[in-house]
Amino acid sequence: MSRKKTDQCARKNRSAGNEPTFLFNALEVQKLKHKGKNMKTRDGNREDEGNMSKLDYELSSYSNLLVKAMKPIRGQKQLLKRLCLDVDEVLEKCTVNELRRAVYEPYFITSLEGKKLAAHFISKIGVDKFWMLVKKVVTSEKTSKTQCANYGEVLLLAWKNAMKDGAHRLQHRLERIFMDVVYYALQHLRCNKKFMAMLESFGKARNKQVDAMIYRTFEPNLWRCLKAANETVRCNACCLFLPFYPFVSDDDIENAENVSLQQGIIIDLLKDDSYVIRSEACRRTLFILSAYFDIFPLDFIKQCLTQIIDILSVDSIVSVRIAVYEGMRDLLRCGSALNACERALKCLFDNRGINDRCDHVRLAAFKLLNALVGHRFIKAC
């Protein structure tokens, strides 16, 4: 056989061997395309299931829609928005038990829309019954602080709605509930932290009206608990007083009298016999000084810094000494306190500073020094 014929046979054999490969690849491509179409179809079905169509919404009863809104499924937020727009119809068509069930579910009040709905439900459920339900949930061991904070936001939204609508009776009854929350936050042995969490939203929504409400609802219990003989109650009062400082009434004369009273309370807390209170007071006082340095009298600033730098920085309790260094980092951010801060830092590191016998305190001192790196006006030596 000639060489030419041999090459032709070889080419035929190679082409014959490649044919199944090309056929196999084509089949695989078709399978992949078919699989992709199926996946798209499934995804589309899931989207249809998650996002309820307008027709399904119109055909469903509000009771069924409310049940769906309690579940953490896809489309829940959109459903809650629709229910918010139809809140009057929801209140009319749903029973009290159905509304109570919705408020009881933690996922229902996770989003802002759910909180708004729950705030509207209070008028139909009844303020006292709603508060009984909330107390039952809050005192349960399974309830988280986040859920408690959500209930606090619901109550605050209801109070704002009542104030906006001029429903003074409802507003007054809600403020009575806030007084109960403050009382339990101060004196409940097991769940006081959860009740404190309910009040967190109050501090975030402060304005003239909210400040006056905070003063009215805190005043009956807080002042006397700050002077209580029981250390735990006094500590709870400290943890409630300092984050909400200053307490401002809607009466200017009363405010003028309370300024010196509240400043005196801060000094007393810094000198308290309980090291837990001294630690918390030290940390929070330095933050308060950084926030209101310009409006405090010099005598008050001097008393605070003298107590913190000269006495608490060499306290026998480690947590108190750590609080001094951690709190000073807040004061560093205050431009008006530069001179006072520079002198305080010099005295602070002359006392012990990074030579403290406790490694945790030395670490806190090092972090404070590290915060001075790059500071425009205060240089770390």
Side-chain angles (χ1 to χ4, degrees):
M1 185 183 291
S2 66
R3 183 164 183 168
K4 187 175 180 181
K5 288 184 178 180
T6 305
D7 292 340
Q8 287 177 354
C9 290
R11 280 197 294 272
K12 285 181 181 179
N13 290 335
R14 280 199 298 270
S15 63
N18 287 338
E19 282 177 4
T21 305
F22 290 128
L23 288 171
F24 178 76
N25 289 340
L27 289 171
E28 285 294 318
V29 169
Q30 288 180 356
K31 286 181 181 179
L32 287 171
K33 286 182 179 179
H34 184 67
K35 189 176 181 181
K37 287 180 181 178
N38 289 338
M39 288 178 68
K40 287 180 182 178
T41 306
R42 286 195 213 106
D43 291 340
N45 291 337
R46 284 176 191 165
E47 288 181 7
D48 291 338
E49 290 173 4
N51 298 321
M52 183 180 293
S53 66
K54 189 175 181 180
L55 180 62
D56 291 337
Y57 180 83
E58 295 294 337
L59 293 176
S60 300
S61 66
Y62 283 110
S63 299
N64 292 334
L65 292 172
L66 203 59
V67 171
K68 289 181 181 179
M70 300 177 202
K71 300 174 183 177
I73 57 175
R74 187 174 181 179
Q76 181 197 26
K77 191 173 181 180
Q78 191 66 29
L79 177 57
L80 286 169
K81 283 183 178 179
R82 290 181 177 181
L83 290 173
C84 268
L85 296 174
D86 299 336
V87 64
D88 293 332
E89 288 82 357
V90 174
L91 290 172
E92 183 183 350
K93 300 292 176 62
C94 295
T95 64
V96 172
N97 286 335
E98 288 170 343
L99 300 180
R100 282 166 56 89
R101 178 63 181 171
V103 172
Y104 185 81
E105 289 295 328
Y107 295 110
F108 185 81
I109 58 171
T110 301
S111 64
L112 179 60
E113 292 77 13
K115 292 168 189 170
K116 288 179 179 179
L117 273 173
H120 286 292
F121 292 171
I122 293 177
S123 59
K124 184 167 182 177
I125 295 172
V127 177
D128 296 332
K129 290 182 179 179
F130 181 84
W131 175 225
M132 287 177 64
L133 176 66
V134 171
K135 272 197 294 186
K136 182 180 178 181
V137 176
V138 172
T139 53
S140 173
E141 294 182 358
K142 298 179 181 179
T143 306
S144 64
K145 289 183 181 179
T146 304
Q147 188 178 350
C148 297
N150 290 338
Y151 279 119
E153 288 187 52
V154 170
L155 288 167
L156 183 60
L157 284 170
W159 180 84
K160 287 181 177 179
N161 292 338
M163 184 181 64
K164 184 179 178 181
D165 299 337
H168 299 296
R169 185 179 178 185
L170 177 60
Q171 183 181 347
H172 178 70
R173 292 175 71 183
L174 286 168
E175 288 184 11
R176 295 291 299 178
I177 290 176
F178 297 156
M179 290 181 191
D180 288 347
V181 175
V182 173
Y183 175 80
Y184 289 126
L186 291 169
Q187 303 203 26
H188 201 286
L189 296 176
R190 187 169 51 88
C191 301
N192 66 297
K193 298 295 182 185
K194 292 182 179 180
F195 284 103
M196 280 189 185
M198 291 183 67
L199 299 169
E200 288 178 0
S201 58
F202 291 25
K204 298 174 184 176
R206 296 191 72 161
N207 54 37
K208 188 175 180 180
Q209 291 79 18
V210 174
D211 280 347
M213 180 270 290
I214 289 173
Y215 183 85
R216 289 193 300 270
T217 53
F218 280 53
E219 190 265 340
N221 293 294
L222 182 59
W223 305 127
R224 61 188 179 86
C225 287
L226 283 166
K227 298 179 181 179
N230 187 294
E231 181 182 328
T232 304
V233 174
R234 209 165 62 249
C235 182
N236 292 339
C238 170
C239 294
L240 204 58
F241 170 79
L242 293 171
F244 283 94
Y245 180 89
F247 289 86
V248 182
S249 171
D250 49 6
D251 186 350
D252 293 336
I253 298 175
E254 197 171 8
N255 286 332
E257 295 174 354
N258 284 328
V259 168
S260 58
L261 172 66
Q262 294 180 40
Q263 291 174 3
I265 289 172
I266 292 176
I267 299 296
D268 291 340
L269 291 173
L270 290 171
K271 298 177 180 179
D272 198 275
D273 294 334
S274 170
Y275 71 89
V276 179
I277 295 176
R278 291 199 305 274
S279 175
E280 180 67 18
C282 176
R283 190 179 287 105
R284 294 295 308 188
T285 299
L286 287 168
F287 176 79
I288 290 170
L289 286 176
S290 68
Y292 303 103
F293 195 87
D294 291 328
I295 62 175
F296 279 136
L298 291 175
D299 183 56
F300 172 71
I301 295 172
K302 185 178 179 181
Q303 286 185 66
C304 289
L305 291 178
T306 300
Q307 181 68 21
I308 291 170
I309 303 301
D310 294 345
I311 298 174
L312 296 185
S313 66
V314 292
D315 196 279
S316 59
I317 304 299
V318 171
S319 61
V320 178
R321 301 202 300 274
I322 290 174
V324 174
Y325 292 98
E326 290 179 347
M328 283 300 297
R329 279 187 276 170
D330 290 322
L331 198 60
L332 280 177
R333 303 187 187 100
C334 179
S336 303
L338 283 175
N339 293 332
C341 195
E342 190 171 8
R343 292 181 63 185
L345 287 171
K346 186 177 180 181
C347 296
L348 186 62
F349 285 102
D350 284 345
N351 286 343
R352 283 183 184 174
I354 56 175
N355 296 318
D356 195 278
R357 62 181 179 272
C358 177
D359 56 342
H360 294 291
V361 180
R362 292 198 299 271
L363 179 61
F366 176 77
K367 288 180 179 179
L368 177 58
L369 283 173
N370 194 42
L372 292 172
V373 176
H375 199 284
R376 292 181 62 186
F377 303 105
I378 302 176
K379 303 299 180 184
C381 298

